Amino acid sequence: MRSNHMTTPAGIYISIPFCKAKCTFCNFASGVFGADRMQPYVNRICDEIVAARVAAERLGARLPECGDSLYFGGGTPSLLSGLQFRQIFQRLRGEFELLPDAEITLECAPGQLEQETLDELLRQGMNRVSFGVQSFVDKETSAVGRLHTRLECEAEIARIRAAGVEDINVDLIAGLPYQTRESWQYSLGQVVNSDVPHISVYMMEVDEDSRLGEEMLAKGTRYHASAVPSEDESAEWYQMACEQFDAAGLRQYEISNFGRSGHASRHNLKYWQRQPYIGFGLDAHSMLATDAGAVRFANTSDMDTYLGKAASAFPQVGQNVVDPEFDVIDLERAFEESLFLGLRLNEGVNLQALRWQFGETMVQDSMPALLEVREAGLLELESDQARLTAQGRMVSNEVFSRLLITAA
């Protein structure tokens, strides 16, 4: 198996789990933690950054010296102060070379970014902001616990643009309580008119561990559970978004992501292209190359456990990676991941490139499954390029399951 992970710069993800309010549909490791935990949390992240290289070596993993993308996700990372961000950047630059053209992204809830924090982030090189708008209809955002209004969203987009940040993303969700075809059309029109260069659209998947999910399973009415649209409606609205964004010059390049030329999320592309990334903070995930392939690992999702751990968040495993918190990716797993992660991208997967990386046998073994989903109208296969059809992207999880079951 040929690998360029040694020279490929890493993507760096930093989890900031603090929120002013927890969305009812959210099951992420985030919440309304006390403000007294913010500085200890930042200190803990900085300790973890300093320990990362030694910890990676202990796993037999290769942690790149350089980073070309940095993503602050959450939660609501913008709740940190400018001084706290400065502390994190100082630690990062002490351990990694952030390349001059690195993409530096901040996830942000509209109305929750203080000016002094914005000023510090701009000094540190932040050049991309992702707004969790979800909807431009106040009734819909209020129903799931979002604190912003449509007017605040529009004002924040204008403010960030005036500050010199060109790369702006807006998240939308199809399937919020009280959403209708007409209200979804309104949100699509508003986001297109905002002229942001990147939009992410998600069909709401209500997890049973979220408050809204529990209520829906119980067939109750709390959290507006009875007002959630059907899955068929959400799917129809997603398709509407695909068509309207394409007409507006926002090309779909991944199942949930649309952008103008040159504005794809470079950090997220690392996940889909299986490039190395390292995560710091609560429930942060990582994938690094090893001589045998790769290793995936994740931090704890419990805040008390995370803050109480020693200087390294990486579990101690001795000579062999046998701890259940680690997932060793062998050649066969790497091939499967390359196939289904690559198929998330509209350009799809080049089978000749897979042959070069993994050998002819694995590609040949996957052909019956690929041909099966092609016959179902979910995949196009021509000139060694496999890509999902529009219908295949709508039911992508089913496609990936069929590919993996057949491969197994």
Side-chain angles (χ1 to χ4, degrees):
M1 175 180 176
R2 298 172 175 87
S3 174
N4 65 349
H5 285 292
M6 199 68 174
T7 56
T8 302
I12 302 170
Y13 179 86
I14 297 185
S15 167
I16 309 294
F18 302 98
C19 298
K20 280 191 174 180
K22 180 85 167 177
C23 296
T24 59
F25 59 78
C26 180
N27 71 329
F28 293 165
S30 60
V32 186
F33 300 106
D36 60 324
R37 291 194 167 196
M38 284 192 178
Q39 189 56 51
Y41 184 83
V42 170
N43 295 342
R44 179 68 187 80
I45 282 179
C46 291
D47 289 343
E48 191 183 352
I49 291 169
V50 170
R53 201 161 298 280
V54 172
E57 290 174 359
R58 186 186 306 125
L59 300 176
R62 299 189 288 272
L63 181 58
E65 299 282 343
C66 300
D68 63 352
S69 72
L70 170 59
Y71 197 106
F72 291 95
T76 309
S78 54
L79 294 179
L80 293 187
S81 70
L83 285 174
Q84 288 166 334
F85 274 112
R86 186 186 306 173
Q87 180 182 348
I88 293 172
F89 272 98
Q90 286 174 341
R91 284 291 184 272
L92 279 171
R93 291 195 167 103
E95 302 298 326
F96 297 90
E97 178 189 355
L98 285 180
L99 298 181
D101 65 342
E103 177 190 82
I104 301 177
T105 303
L106 174 77
E107 280 190 353
C108 184
Q112 297 183 34
L113 176 58
E114 296 293 334
Q115 188 62 42
E116 64 94 12
T117 301
L118 173 59
D119 291 342
E120 182 61 37
L121 284 165
L122 292 172
R123 283 192 290 269
Q124 298 292 345
M126 180 193 72
N127 49 24
R128 189 172 186 271
V129 172
S130 180
F131 282 113
V133 172
Q134 321 309 6
S135 169
F136 284 90
V137 178
D138 293 351
K139 182 179 181 180
E140 295 168 10
T141 51
S142 175
V144 293
R146 305 294 287 179
L147 301 178
H148 58 259
T149 65
R150 173 185 63 82
L151 292 177
E152 285 177 313
C153 293
E154 293 170 351
E156 285 289 74
I157 291 171
R159 175 186 171 218
I160 294 301
R161 186 173 278 142
V165 179
E166 297 291 336
D167 267 334
I168 300 173
N169 171 67
V170 166
D171 285 348
L172 294 179
I173 295 180
L176 294 172
Y178 302 110
Q179 204 166 60
T180 65
R181 194 177 195 279
E182 291 71 28
S183 71
W184 177 246
Q185 179 63 65
Y186 177 79
S187 284
L188 296 182
Q190 291 297 110
V191 75
V192 168
N193 291 339
S194 75
D195 202 31
V196 295
H198 193 282
I199 304 169
S200 299
V201 174
Y202 304 97
M203 289 187 287
M204 190 165 77
E205 297 180 4
V206 182
D207 191 275
E208 61 183 15
D209 292 328
S210 69
R211 290 175 293 164
L212 180 56
E214 290 178 356
E215 195 66 16
M216 289 179 66
L217 286 174
K219 302 189 182 301
T221 58
R222 295 179 66 202
Y223 311 118
H224 311 278
S226 59
V228 174
S230 69
E231 291 184 2
D232 286 345
E233 288 173 311
S234 296
E236 176 192 347
W237 301 339
Y238 167 84
Q239 190 59 39
M240 285 172 56
C242 293
E243 295 168 359
Q244 294 188 33
F245 293 160
D246 185 69
L250 291 144
R251 306 303 181 198
Q252 185 179 27
Y253 67 94
E254 191 272 341
I255 289 172
S256 300
N257 288 276
F258 307 76
R260 302 193 188 282
S261 178
H263 290 278
S265 169
R266 286 161 52 192
H267 182 84
N268 287 336
L269 280 169
K270 286 188 173 293
Y271 302 141
W272 304 315
Q273 295 173 346
R274 295 192 75 252
Q275 296 180 15
Y277 55 89
I278 180 77
F280 301 108
L282 194 70
D283 200 34
H285 288 62
S286 304
M287 187 194 80
L288 297 175
T290 66
D291 289 339
V295 59
R296 293 183 183 275
F297 48 96
N299 285 346
T300 178
S301 60
D302 180 77
M303 177 66 87
D304 290 332
T305 302
Y306 179 74
L307 291 179
K309 279 191 174 182
S312 173
F314 304 93
Q316 309 294 310
V317 295
Q319 296 299 313
N320 299 307
V321 181
V322 295
D323 191 287
E325 291 187 68
F326 286 81
D327 193 6
V328 179
I329 310 299
D330 60 15
L331 194 65
E332 184 175 350
R333 284 279 306 282
F335 173 78
E336 291 177 352
E337 288 184 359
S338 297
L339 188 60
F340 73 77
L341 288 174
L343 284 174
R344 290 191 62 90
L345 298 170
N346 279 39
E347 68 181 18
V349 176
N350 184 273
L351 299 185
Q352 183 56 41
L354 291 182
R355 291 187 188 97
W356 181 84
Q357 188 173 9
F358 298 100
E360 177 68 32
T361 300
M362 286 193 180
V363 175
Q364 283 301 112
D365 288 347
S366 71
M367 288 306 298
L370 291 170
L371 293 173
E372 178 185 333
V373 293
R374 185 184 69 173
E375 290 302 310
L378 305 177
L379 183 90
E380 295 175 353
L381 185 58
E382 56 180 84
S383 301
D384 263 343
Q385 195 73 16
R387 64 177 67 87
L388 296 182
T389 63
Q391 181 60 28
R393 288 190 287 273
M394 293 281 290
V395 293
S396 58
N397 288 339
E398 176 189 337
V399 174
F400 301 150
S401 295
R402 290 167 71 170
L403 291 176
L404 293 177
I405 288 172
T406 304

